Amino acid sequence: MTEQTRIASTFGALKEAGHLAFMPFITAGDPDIDATLSVIRELGTHGVDLIEVGFPYSDPIADGPVIQASYTRALDKGLYVDNIFDGVASLSADELPPLVAMASYALLFRRGVEKFVKQAVESGFAGFIIPDLPVDEAEDAGKIVRANGADLIQLVSPMTPKERAVETLKAASGFVYCISVAGTTGVRDDLPPELTDQLNWLRTQTDVPLAVGFGIKGPEQVDILRDAADGVIVGSAIVRMMEGLGRSPEGDAAVLAKIGTFADSMVQATRKK
Amino acid sequence: MSTEAAPQKATSKVPDASGRFGEFGRRFVPETLMHALEELTREYERAQQDPEFLARLDKLLSTFVGRPNPLYFAERLTEHCGGARIFLKREDLNHTGAHKINNTMGQVLLTQRMGKKRVIAETGAGQHGVATAVACARFGLECVVYMGEEDIRRQKLNVFNMKMMGAEVRGVSSGSRTLRDAINEAMRDWMSTVEHTHYIIGSVVGPHPFPMMVRDFQAIIGRETRKQCLETETRLPDEVIACVGGGSNSAGMFYPFIDDETVALTGVEAGGRGPEPGDHASTLTYGNKGVLHGSYSYVLQDEDGQTQDVHSISAGLDYPGVGPEHSFWKDTGRVNYVSVTDDEALVALQTMAKLEGILPAIESSHAIAHTLKAAKQRSNDEIIVVCLSGRGDKDVYEVARLLGQDLD
């Protein structure tokens, strides 16, 4: 790695300023791609640091009911991977925060990992989270992603033993996705106390930034993570707000404004105190 | 992952340590499950080396399940076809009426060995759910069975049966509301309970070590068949036939014959209403290589890799994936996979009932339907063994409905 990736430089700048990264997750294509693009623009306007874009998949075993249902809705309306690539390509990705594609390995394998990654990067994605591709199977995909100047994000869970985490960290780049709780995605009331212990230990093992996801619902949980993590990911909470797009009686503008207000509160919470 | 594997010969010496059957199998699961799968693999390997564990399992299989079950010469079916002599491996005579219990007894003993107190399972037709509920009742373990709402409707008898055994049946209303979604839900449960829960998967699917472990527990079908055939007929069969959904009865039946090159092996998939996508569940006949439920195998999927909806008259065969070892056997040419339609299976079910006095499960009727064709192509000094994987009592309401009769 001679040149810094977009994700690495984003985290680098935040660290220098003493901020945490705020990375919202959104489902692509729910209710349609145009709505997804409006949400990406809205989040960009409100100063989020990175955006994770979920590629709907028919059998997402790592996801809880909220994200699962959004995937089903998007696929029922006939969403294809090409629609996501084309939509994202129509944005000016350079002016937006780095976009990270969250996609099942089933989708990458079907298209061919090389082709999928190349098309994704060309359309503006800066990194990949492949939740069902454990580090043991990720060597080839990692090479392809790096060759395209992007990052393949590795995941560590509370169930990951230390020896395994050490191996995972060797392959890590961009940031490490630290899953806060054993289980699927979804909002939870509390974060487990062991989480900070694990983050503190991971910190002694790697310089790659640590971002925490799964179960984070809002600004109130940021302070607990301030000293231990470099970023927070919020998924289901925003996907739930997006359920109103195209459906809410108040109209899309009101839903977007609500998402914007939430993003503001998270951005504020993640800045240096 | 490399997709260009050199042409390979089938062998029984699979999978390797990473769960590869040729190029197929492996582990494509969230990180949260990886450690549990590694632990399970280690514990399973230790159990296989432990004479006490194996003796306990053998005793349960003989005294509780009722093994060995007969290899039965189907005289009238043979006459009817006028070709090869047809033998039935009577898995329908096991306790709970199907082969599924061979696996659940093994896995429940393993659950105990690991000190886990809770078991989860998925079920399609309900046979694996019942076999899991029975095994858990026998050993006093908590049992939760995930079942698609559509299958709950089709298999009321088995649902009630599971509840009688003390199991909780959780309806799954996401996606297609069938077996595939029941597996998704069971995996999600396991993600958050893995420390104290074991997932007894019912077929040779899922991440390593499940395809290997379930095959091994089911291989008693083929081992007994081989032995019985040698004893009574003094030779091996010419052809062995079994139905394939996820592929557990067929994997268990075929595996002990893999290195016997003279024995032809035929897997029969559910051809449903015809070859259009969504009308069948013939994964090996019409599918492509892909990833589903943690394993790399053949999958019925669209051009993006989204799993396709499937149809079969049989709730136990309508699965859009298949065990990775079957994919390995397909690509090596060791097993020939064919497809049988709903109508052919329904005719075979009735033929078997009238000629042999045996009501086969609608799943097993697919294997019988192909046997009726295959026997005619062979001479009367040849032997075909078909796996009668389960009995048909569970299907009577659905069969009556399809034949236009009202039982109520």
Side-chain angles (χ1 to χ4, degrees), chain A residues 14-158:
Chain A
L14 287 164
K15 196 181 174 77
E16 208 154 290
H19 304 323
L20 296 184
F22 168 52
M23 188 182 336
F25 168 95
I26 60 169
T27 292
D30 178 32
D32 55 44
I33 276 294
D34 287 340
T36 310
L37 303 182
S38 329
V39 175
I40 291 176
R41 284 192 213 97
E42 185 74 14
L43 291 169
T45 311
H46 289 269
V48 308
D49 303 300
L50 303 97
I51 301 172
E52 213 182 289
V53 179
F55 283 53
Y57 173 52
S58 53
D59 298 83
I61 52 178
D63 285 302
V66 172
I67 291 177
Q68 224 185 100
S70 72
Y71 281 2
T72 305
R73 285 193 300 270
L75 293 174
D76 283 350
K77 291 192 89 178
L79 180 82
Y80 286 95
V81 168
D82 281 338
N83 303 138
I84 306 175
F85 289 160
D86 293 345
V88 168
S90 74
L91 297 164
S92 311
D94 296 345
E95 296 157 25
L96 288 164
L99 302 177
V100 184
M102 167 90 124
S104 166
Y105 188 63
L107 305 184
L108 280 95
F109 178 80
R110 181 69 168 134
R111 183 163 295 231
V113 177
E114 192 135 20
K115 190 175 167 194
F116 190 106
V117 168
K118 190 165 177 283
Q119 290 181 333
V121 170
E122 277 170 3
S123 64
F125 284 98
F128 298 84
I129 300 169
I130 313 176
D132 50 358
L133 188 68
V135 67
D136 323 58
E137 293 283 356
E139 193 180 331
D140 291 350
K143 280 182 195 154
I144 292 168
V145 170
R146 277 193 298 279
N148 281 277
D151 289 300
L152 177 60
I153 306 307
Q154 298 296 331
L155 295 96
V156 172
S157 126

Side-chain angles (χ1 to χ4, degrees), chain A residues 182-197:
Chain A
T184 54
T185 54
V187 166
R188 286 169 182 82
D189 284 335
D190 295 304
L191 291 174
E194 304 82 26
L195 176 63
T196 23
D197 296 342

Side-chain angles (χ1 to χ4, degrees), chain B residues 351-366:
Chain B
T351 306
M352 176 70 102
K354 287 197 177 111
L355 293 181
E356 294 290 347
I358 296 170
L359 187 69
I362 193 75
E363 289 78 14
S364 322
S365 300
H366 286 72

